[in-house]
Amino acid sequence: MHHHVSLSHLKAHRAAGTRFSMVTAYDACFAQLSSDAGIDSLLVGDSLGMVLQGHDSTLPVTLEQMVYHTACVTRTKPRAFVIADMPFMAAATLEDTMRSARLLMQAGAQMIKLEGGAQLLGQVQRLADQGVPVCCHLGLTPQFVNRFGGYKVQGRTQAIADQLVADAQALDAAGADMLLLECVPNHVTARIMAVTQAPVVGIGAGPETTAQVLVLHDLLGITPGKPARFVQNFLSGSASIQAALSAFDQAVKSGAYPAPEHCFVD
Ligand code: KIV
């Protein structure tokens, strides 16, 4: 039926200026539904600590749990490209990084995502040397919530914006295969797009990125509490979960999502 999405397909979108879609997936059923709805990439995110486990941060999530959920997602051999998150402290040393990446890749992941900036250069290079594609998550990196003092938009001051741009440029040059920007003003995203070549995935990072990602439960509108500014409920107005996933995919690809009300402008 459909060909499987590979890293080259995702890189081709960046080169061509076209867009792709990503949602989080933690289990076999939703992985298959999302993939069948046309979603190009699935992220086994450590957000599962909040949406599945009920914690108030991602810090309690263990490597063992990430391996388990990655295996659940990949077992159905989804057409979509599967990325697994390194949980808190799983990439603290080079030795830890290699062991954690090995277990996640052996569970079926096709790429590993790590949170942080230029301090990850060593890990990115070593992973690339061993054949592991890497996504670097910058901006509001939830594992740093205790240093940030809350879940706050990043890059609002000139100094932090400059640091984010420099970090993205350095990681891209060092061979990061993908960048993910969370909660940064549109103008910071524009600067990062100008100095990088890898596909850039955004969440609360404006319309200019190559791709958009949302937490599955957020796009279905079933996460308790007040949704973040960048969240759109795609289930309201759709006849089914499948239709909501497909509406998200179409809205990302057409550029209809994110709209100005989902963005941070300064
Ligand atoms: O853990 C996660 O789901 C994430 C996305 C929200 C980007 O990192």
Side-chain angles (χ1 to χ4, degrees), residues 116-245:
Q119 79 274 18
L120 295 176
L121 282 172
Q123 283 104 315
V124 170
Q125 273 156 356
R126 272 294 280 279
L127 288 166
D129 287 347
Q130 298 300 319
V132 180
V134 185
C135 174
C136 295
H137 183 159
L138 300 153
L140 172 48
T141 44
Q143 291 172 13
F144 290 70
V145 60
N146 293 295
R147 291 192 71 193
F148 294 151
Y151 296 99
K152 298 174 186 167
V153 177
Q154 298 295 305
R156 284 192 144 145
T157 64
Q158 183 75 36
I160 307 275
D162 289 350
Q163 185 64 56
L164 281 170
V165 175
D167 284 359
Q169 185 166 23
L171 290 163
D172 183 80
D177 297 281
M178 190 179 285
L179 301 172
L180 189 148
L181 302 179
E182 179 164 351
C183 292
V184 299
N186 290 5
H187 60 89
V188 176
T189 301
R191 288 179 61 193
I192 289 173
M193 292 300 286
V195 297
T196 57
Q197 288 181 342
V200 178
V201 183
I203 174 164
E208 287 194 43
T209 53
T210 321
Q212 299 289 334
V213 61
L214 279 177
V215 166
L216 172 71
H217 299 63
D218 288 347
L219 86 78
L220 296 178
I222 58 171
T223 309
K226 185 178 178 288
R229 180 179 174 86
F230 54 80
V231 170
Q232 181 174 329
N233 176 348
F234 284 90
L235 187 57
S236 84
S238 296
S240 64
I241 288 174
Q242 287 91 329
L245 288 161

Side-chain angles (χ1 to χ4, degrees), residues 24 26 43 45-48 58 85 113 115 137 180 182 203 213 215:
T24 64
Y26 317 109
L43 172 65
D46 64 355
S47 51
L48 68 85
T58 59
D85 247 343
K113 176 164 82 59
E115 293 184 14
H137 183 159
L180 189 148
E182 179 164 351
I203 174 164
V213 61
V215 166

